[in-house]
Amino acid sequence: MGNAHQMHEMSPATGSATFSDLWSPDVMLLSLLVTTVYFLVTGPMHKRFENATPATGKQRLLFVLAIVLFYAAQGSPISYYGHHYMFSLHMLQQSILYFALPPLMLLAMPEWLLAKIFRPKALKLILNSLTHPLVAALLFNSLFSFYHVPFIFDAVAINHAWMTFYHVILVIAAFAMWWPIVSPLSDNKRQLAGLKKLSYVFANGVLITPACALIIFASEPLYATYINAPQLFQSLDAFNDQRLGGIIMKLVQELVYGCVLAYVFYHWYKAEKQDDLPMDQSFGAEKPTF
């Protein structure tokens, strides 16, 4: 409790945040740099790579959207107020980083580019280990759940280095969790199909539910970090802010997973119907992008 109180005593007073505090120029520059590199490598410079083709318009649009979401989560006031004042904004930040960013970023990557990134044997071994569906699902959801255990959350919150490290690990785990669903590598054996993909998405939704339920249905505020935080809105105390945060996380997760389930089911059903058609009618049927 005391450590959390000290953290908020040292944080800027409500309304005194600078432009740098609210909009993180370093994150802005990083986002612009990564975007520039992506457009160069998948555009004019793609000819330098063997069997490379330019990124499609759809991939470029998805990449820009992913970068905008990344900056919104890490460089906008969502990050500042979520860290210092409001648990609900912190949960919105996590929702973006774990459920919206990874699938968009993976779908934005040309297959040849990811294949070259993971060509080194060490990276390929790590990729194959982390993206096994069972490992990926358990790893992400376990790390997510442990993070929201109150004494772990408060311990991490007062140490910027530990918080950064844990969030980086969680983002990596989130990408691994999404890999069996939206991996663009055509020879990737971790890419699930049909009913297996539906079951995998559903299982992830079930695994994350206990952590969200703990937050939403708790009978009291759980996190000293936010109990002692300055209150921005009189109508939103620490307890209601905590409950709102859990609801935001669950709603975003359900929305994203629901859209993926609907998309996968639609294309699975379409493929099943194509299999029942004569060969001359089923030839050339459109394949799903994930």
Side-chain angles (χ1 to χ4, degrees):
M1 283 286 208
N3 287 335
H5 183 64
Q6 290 175 9
M7 185 194 79
H8 289 293
E9 281 185 340
M10 291 185 292
S11 68
T14 305
S16 66
T18 64
F19 175 87
S20 180
D21 292 330
L22 294 175
W23 297 103
S24 304
D26 54 338
V27 179
M28 186 183 297
L29 289 174
L30 175 63
S31 301
L32 291 173
L33 176 62
V34 171
T35 303
T36 301
V37 171
Y38 172 85
F39 274 88
L40 286 175
V41 171
T42 62
M45 295 177 60
H46 81 275
K47 295 180 181 179
R48 300 186 181 185
F49 302 94
E50 186 179 357
N51 299 322
T53 56
T56 65
K58 179 180 178 181
Q59 286 173 326
R60 292 174 181 175
L61 178 62
L62 289 174
F63 186 86
V64 171
L65 180 56
I67 289 295
V68 169
L69 287 176
F70 169 75
Y71 179 70
Q74 287 294 111
S76 78
I78 292 175
S79 176
Y80 175 80
Y81 286 109
H83 177 67
H84 291 294
Y85 302 111
M86 296 181 66
F87 179 76
S88 56
L89 288 181
H90 179 66
M91 294 297 273
L92 176 60
Q93 178 191 40
Q94 290 188 93
S95 300
I96 295 171
L97 292 175
Y98 309 148
F99 299 111
L101 177 64
L104 290 175
M105 188 64 75
L106 287 173
L107 290 172
M109 300 296 286
E111 181 178 354
W112 63 266
L113 181 55
L114 273 184
K116 291 186 181 300
I117 291 174
F118 290 104
R119 177 175 291 178
K121 290 184 178 180
L123 287 180
K124 184 173 289 187
L125 178 62
I126 294 173
L127 177 69
N128 290 337
S129 299
L130 292 180
T131 58
H132 184 285
L134 182 60
V135 173
L138 291 177
L139 179 64
F140 170 73
N141 289 289
S142 296
L143 287 172
F144 180 87
S145 297
F146 287 143
Y147 175 70
H148 291 95
V149 173
F151 77 88
I152 295 177
F153 185 97
D154 287 325
V156 171
I158 63 175
N159 188 311
H160 180 72
W162 275 108
M163 175 171 279
T164 301
F165 175 76
Y166 205 116
H167 283 181
V168 169
I169 296 299
L170 262 172
V171 169
I172 293 173
F175 271 88
M177 182 269 289
W178 278 100
W179 190 274
I181 306 172
V182 295
S183 165
L185 298 184
S186 57
D187 63 344
N188 177 48
K189 295 180 180 180
R190 304 303 186 201
Q191 173 75 279
L192 299 174
L195 290 178
K196 289 184 179 180
K197 186 176 290 188
L198 291 173
S199 300
Y200 178 78
V201 175
F202 180 78
N204 274 285
V206 171
L207 288 171
I208 203 173
T209 297
C212 293
L214 169 70
I215 296 168
I216 295 171
F217 299 110
S219 59
E220 60 183 6
L222 299 174
Y223 305 110
T225 301
Y226 292 98
I227 293 173
N228 295 298
Q231 189 173 331
L232 295 183
F233 303 101
Q234 292 299 321
S235 59
L236 193 64
D237 57 17
F239 179 63
N240 289 315
D241 180 46
Q242 174 182 292
R243 181 168 290 177
L244 176 61
I247 293 172
I248 288 173
M249 174 61 74
K250 191 60 180 170
L251 284 178
V252 173
Q253 174 257 308
E254 291 285 356
L255 177 62
V256 174
Y257 284 175
C259 290
V260 172
L261 283 171
Y263 184 90
V264 172
F265 179 80
Y266 168 76
H267 282 282
W268 170 77
Y269 179 75
K270 188 176 179 181
E272 289 295 307
K273 290 193 69 176
Q274 287 292 339
D275 289 341
D276 294 335
L277 294 175
M279 184 175 294
D280 59 340
Q281 293 184 38
S282 61
F283 181 76
E286 181 183 357
K287 296 182 179 179
T289 55
F290 70 90

